[in-house]
Amino acid sequence: MEIDLRTRTALVTGSTQGIGLAIATALARAGATVAVNGRSEEKVARAVEAVTERVPGAALVAAAADVTTEEGVDRLRGLLPRLDVLVNNLGIFGAQDALDISDEEWRRYFEVNVLSAVRLTRAFLPGMTERGWGRVLNIASDSAVVIPAEMIHYGMSKTALLAVSRGFAKEAAGTGVTVNSVIAGPTRTGGVEDFVYQLVDRDLPWEEAQREFMRLHRPQSLLRRLIEPEEIANMVAYLSSPLASATTGAAVRVDGGYVDSIVP
């Protein structure tokens, strides 16, 4: 299969590190013009440099903006008058006892993980439907289906994102635009490494800590290891391409078999 996005422009939110950076790299490798996003201009500049090192000659747009605000979304609309692929990757997570999660934290998780995606979709979907082609992808999580006891506020936000994806897919029905969510399983990123050490002995070497985390806290995984960000990015690149034209309204799993279900 050849994934060709040479005529397309893509925005990946929260793409200065981790899964977002891997997705930006994969889309750039497929030929897309990629807007790299983060709140800090310095971090965005470093991420642009990192993608360029991996994909020499990549067409990149430095898109520093806080997408959790209306002002940030307006800035991106000015930078990207035409957008073909929107990847809502930005998200926050962290462990907290269920009864200790404050109203403010519940709202913050919804604002960042859900409403930012809704706001961006609302901004860019009309242009896609008018042109008759587009891709909206929301990066969800296995936690949307298997709610973790140690972070139910995060699980809630990702469950909501699945509903948002399905709903906007119906809004775009018959237009040539697809809207999907990607259920990412436990993935190795800097933030996840910190999270692992919140739950297991900090004195353990990383490989041993990872195995202990998967054994104690993610025993359903069939991979028995953390997923690499590039493995998530490969699925996103496919779903962003013309090859995935018949996939919409779906929650596509890249979870290492973590969700114990034979239905996607």
Side-chain angles (χ1 to χ4, degrees):
M1 289 192 300
E2 181 180 356
I3 296 176
D4 186 355
L5 295 172
R6 281 175 291 183
T7 63
R8 306 301 182 184
T9 298
L11 165 65
V12 185
T13 66
S15 49
T16 59
Q17 61 185 353
I19 293 173
L21 181 60
I23 292 171
T25 302
L27 295 179
R29 189 171 287 120
T33 298
V34 180
V36 178
N37 167 254
R39 287 181 298 178
S40 161
E41 291 187 5
E42 182 180 350
K43 286 185 178 180
V44 168
R46 286 201 299 264
V48 166
E49 184 178 346
V51 176
T52 302
E53 288 177 358
R54 300 170 191 177
V55 188
L60 303 171
V61 177
D66 183 355
V67 299
T68 67
T69 67
E70 293 183 13
E71 294 79 9
V73 173
D74 287 342
R75 171 170 168 73
L76 290 180
R77 292 180 72 179
L79 284 173
L80 304 166
R82 173 183 173 130
L83 190 70
D84 303 295
V85 179
L86 169 62
V87 182
N88 289 309
N89 168 75
L90 177 68
I92 56 174
F93 65 93
Q96 193 166 356
D97 289 341
L99 297 178
D100 293 334
I101 304 170
S102 66
D103 287 0
E104 181 181 356
E105 277 295 90
W106 280 105
R107 293 189 189 99
R108 186 168 77 95
Y109 270 73
F110 184 81
E111 287 276 348
V112 175
N113 292 359
V114 184
L115 193 53
S116 66
V118 170
R119 191 178 288 120
L120 283 163
T121 303
R122 198 169 58 217
F124 288 109
L125 184 60
M128 296 180 187
T129 57
E130 288 172 12
R131 293 187 295 272
W133 198 95
R135 300 286 184 264
V136 178
L137 290 160
N138 294 315
I139 306 304
S141 165
D142 56 81
S143 296
V145 183
V146 185
I147 305 295
E150 72 276 5
M151 50 179 186
I152 63 173
H153 52 339
Y154 173 75
M156 171 280 301
S157 69
K158 292 300 182 177
T159 305
L161 205 53
L162 299 185
V164 164
S165 301
R166 181 69 182 180
F168 276 119
K170 292 180 178 181
E171 173 65 23
T175 66
V177 178
T178 66
V179 183
N180 294 291
S181 52
V182 175
I183 297 180
T187 305
R188 181 178 181 177
T189 64
V192 168
E193 289 184 17
D194 292 339
F195 177 66
V196 166
Y197 278 117
Q198 287 182 37
L199 299 174
V200 302
D201 187 348
R202 288 186 174 273
D203 294 328
L204 290 174
W206 168 248
E207 289 302 324
E208 188 176 343
Q210 175 184 200
R211 287 194 299 272
E212 186 72 355
F213 170 78
M214 297 300 286
R215 183 180 70 83
L216 294 176
H217 298 281
R218 300 293 184 269
Q220 303 98 314
S221 171
L222 303 183
L223 278 186
R224 302 290 173 87
R225 64 168 174 83
L226 290 172
I227 298 165
E228 294 299 322
E230 290 74 18
E231 294 175 300
I232 309 297
N234 291 338
M235 178 62 77
V236 173
Y238 165 71
L239 291 172
S240 299
S241 77
L243 299 176
S245 55
T247 303
T248 191
V252 182
R253 289 162 51 188
V254 191
D255 67 339
Y258 178 80
V259 177
D260 192 9
S261 170
I262 61 173
V263 179

